[in-house]
Amino acid sequence: MKRRDALARDINLEDITSSNNNAEVLRRLRDNDRRWGLKDTLFIEEAYDENDDGDDMVFMISEGDDLGWLGYFIGRNQSLDALAIHFLPQERERVDAFIKGVNCNRSLREFSLVYPMDAGLHNLCSFFRDNNNLRSIHLCRSQIGRECAHELALALSQRQAQSLMQLNFISNNLDDEGFAEIVQALWTQPQLDRLLCTSNNIGSISCEALGALMRERMTNLTSLHLRGNGIDDACLQALVPGLCNNNNLEVMSISDPITAVGLRSLSPFLQSDRCILGDLNIILRLGYEEAVALVDALKGNKSLSTLHLLRNVTDTGCWSEFSKLLCDTSSINNTYLSNHNLTHIGAPNVMDDTPTHVTDLLEMNAAAQSSIMRNRDREIAIQSLTRCKIFMSHPDLDMEP
């Protein structure tokens, strides 16, 4: 590093890069140019041909690029806000030289690695530990074995600053014990706002650790995504006490192999007066038993507006249960106590597969919620909605004194 320090100002950048654009990127890094465009982000991509020159926010890696110098200038830079790595070459020596330089950076607030990096990730641990500005870590497709998970957990546990707000793990082959160790490290990061661990191999050990963390220490989470991990009913049950202690959670995602038992276990959380969950994503084939359990868990909930069902609803009786949730016609009192806040049930963005008798009720709820958003008194808006549902469901109601 000292050798590069001595050469950095005078080195010919065209000699260590494969294109004029890459040379310009290095110049801007070296000179701490603050005009990086979108969120002051540098993207690192693969050059697919010799004419692929990228733009002034993208470094296009080719054979002629010295990645040691790229890493060095990133490490020394003090103005770059975010780094998004979407490609690294196969040559281990080039990658190690690049990572060694990046490791020295202390200005980055967001770090994203979206590439199947099988080795060398542990070399970034001092960057994760010592960068006091770091707010977001996003690791996708990079392999995190047990040893790497241990070193990453150690780095997180030793962070002095509580700046980290978002931690994402996607398709890392991260196992149950490895993620549990990372969760244990997060006891030193109670300010964390978003935790995502999807398409990995976590299970009961991780969920028990995460449940305890949310129950005792981390109460600021607004987003929790755990889909694609094989989390079962027992795992979900282990999370519930922690969920109940969190009055900030707004978005949550879960998936197979959860059954009706697991969905029903969410009742204490969803029915709590402290629950503000607005968006629940459920990825499983929803049968009648699961629908009944979910509807039971949602009775009395006053926060959820969006229920995303990302697999087929396998039983037409499911929709009858959802209709009953939105407008229970069995009695006037039950109609009054029905759900008046849900505005979407079905696939994300569209409800093409949602029956009309359900969408009509959802649209009634949406109109009331829209009225509330226009600064109308919430109590008046809900009273108006419940009257409409009562008159619609009980046409023979005698209103005479």
Side-chain angles (χ1 to χ4, degrees):
M1 195 65 74
K2 290 183 178 180
R3 181 183 66 86
R4 293 188 191 275
D5 285 339
L7 298 173
R9 181 52 53 184
D10 299 322
I11 193 169
N12 188 330
L13 300 180
E14 284 75 14
D15 291 343
I16 56 175
T17 53
S18 63
S19 67
N20 291 333
N21 182 78
N22 285 358
E24 176 62 14
V25 169
L26 291 193
R27 183 199 66 76
R28 296 178 68 188
L29 286 169
R30 181 188 64 188
D31 297 344
N32 275 300
D33 191 325
R34 295 186 178 275
R35 297 170 297 167
W36 284 97
L38 181 64
K39 286 188 175 182
D40 292 330
T41 302
L42 172 62
F43 296 89
I44 297 179
E45 309 277 359
E46 179 180 11
Y48 292 99
D49 59 64
E50 61 182 11
N51 297 317
D52 198 352
D53 205 28
D55 58 38
D56 59 359
M57 294 184 295
V58 183
F59 190 98
M60 307 294 292
I61 293 181
S62 188
E63 289 185 4
D65 293 303
D66 188 322
L67 298 190
W69 277 109
L70 173 61
Y72 168 83
F73 284 124
I74 292 174
R76 286 289 188 260
N77 184 271
Q78 298 177 6
S79 63
L80 194 62
D81 191 63
L83 177 64
I85 304 170
H86 296 162
F87 173 76
L88 287 172
Q90 295 297 316
E91 298 94 333
R92 179 67 181 273
E93 185 176 344
R94 294 178 74 195
V95 173
D96 286 348
F98 169 72
I99 295 298
K100 182 179 179 180
V102 172
N103 219 14
C104 296
N105 181 279
R106 298 295 179 264
S107 71
L108 285 172
R109 291 159 56 86
E110 300 179 14
F111 177 86
S112 175
L113 176 59
V114 185
Y115 194 74
M117 184 175 176
D118 295 331
L121 183 61
H122 65 279
N123 292 326
L124 281 166
C125 284
S126 61
F127 165 72
F128 295 141
R129 182 189 65 226
D130 298 330
N131 184 338
N132 292 334
N133 290 308
L134 197 60
R135 292 177 56 86
S136 173
I137 300 173
H138 179 89
L139 303 175
C140 178
R141 295 192 292 158
S142 295
Q143 298 298 298
I144 302 179
R146 187 72 59 78
E147 181 179 352
C148 183
H150 172 74
E151 294 186 17
L152 179 57
L154 187 61
L156 292 172
S157 69
Q158 293 176 345
R159 283 183 59 81
Q160 297 299 308
Q162 292 188 343
S163 62
L164 191 64
M165 301 300 293
Q166 181 170 321
L167 191 56
N168 298 343
F169 299 99
I170 304 173
S171 301
N172 310 109
N173 201 28
L174 184 58
D175 68 13
D176 198 16
E177 291 81 0
F179 187 62
E181 190 167 3
I182 291 172
V183 168
Q184 283 295 125
L186 295 178
W187 281 74
T188 64
Q189 305 296 315
Q191 77 290 339
L192 198 72
D193 176 73
R194 174 187 170 96
L195 179 61
L196 184 150
C197 183
T198 62
S199 301
N200 283 296
N201 303 305
I202 70 174
S204 60
I205 300 174
S206 294
C207 288
E208 288 174 5
L210 183 55
L213 174 64
M214 291 191 295
R215 185 179 67 248
E216 303 291 341
R217 180 68 168 159
M218 186 181 290
T219 60
N220 293 316
L221 275 182
T222 62
S223 297
L224 178 63
H225 300 273
L226 298 173
R227 61 186 181 271
N229 288 298
I231 290 176
D232 59 16
D233 295 335
C235 294
L236 191 58
Q237 290 167 348
L239 291 172
V240 169
L243 294 173
C244 290
N245 197 45
N246 188 308
N247 58 356
N248 292 296
L249 194 65
E250 299 173 356
V251 183
M252 185 169 72
S253 300
I254 54 177
S255 66
D256 286 331
I258 292 168
T259 71
V261 174
L263 293 174
R264 187 169 280 110
S265 72
L266 289 173
S267 297
F269 167 57
L270 294 173
Q271 296 174 7
S272 168
D273 291 337
R274 301 174 63 189
C275 179
I276 66 166
L277 190 73
D279 192 333
L280 177 60
N281 302 289
I282 299 178
I283 309 171
L284 54 82
R285 295 183 66 82
L286 202 72
Y288 182 71
E289 290 185 2
E290 286 75 27
V292 170
L294 183 56
V295 166
D296 286 345
L298 286 170
K299 287 179 179 177
N301 176 274
K302 291 181 172 57
S303 66
L304 196 70
S305 62
T306 302
L307 177 59
H308 284 149
L309 305 175
L310 281 76
R311 297 268 175 89
N312 292 333
V313 175
T314 61
D315 192 315
T316 55
C318 297
W319 294 115
S320 296
E321 291 299 316
F322 288 125
S323 179
K324 185 178 179 181
L325 172 69
L326 297 167
C327 185
D328 187 343
T329 62
S330 62
S331 71
I332 294 174
N333 191 56
N334 286 342
T335 303
Y336 177 81
L337 295 174
S338 298
N339 183 288
H340 306 308
N341 43 277
L342 270 168
T343 60
H344 183 108
I345 301 177
N349 303 319
V350 297
M351 290 190 289
D352 293 346
D353 296 328
T354 305
T356 303
H357 66 92
V358 176
T359 57
D360 287 347
L361 294 169
L362 291 169
E363 288 172 2
M364 291 177 65
N365 284 2
Q369 297 302 321
S370 177
S371 178
I372 294 169
M373 292 294 291
R374 294 196 302 270
N375 298 319
R376 185 178 177 186
D377 185 272
R378 174 179 174 82
E379 184 176 349
I380 293 176
I382 295 301
Q383 285 179 353
S384 177
L385 173 61
T386 55
R387 281 198 298 267
C388 288
K389 289 185 178 181
I390 288 172
F391 289 139
M392 178 181 69
S393 305
H394 306 276
D396 299 329
L397 181 64
D398 185 0
M399 295 297 293
E400 295 296 327

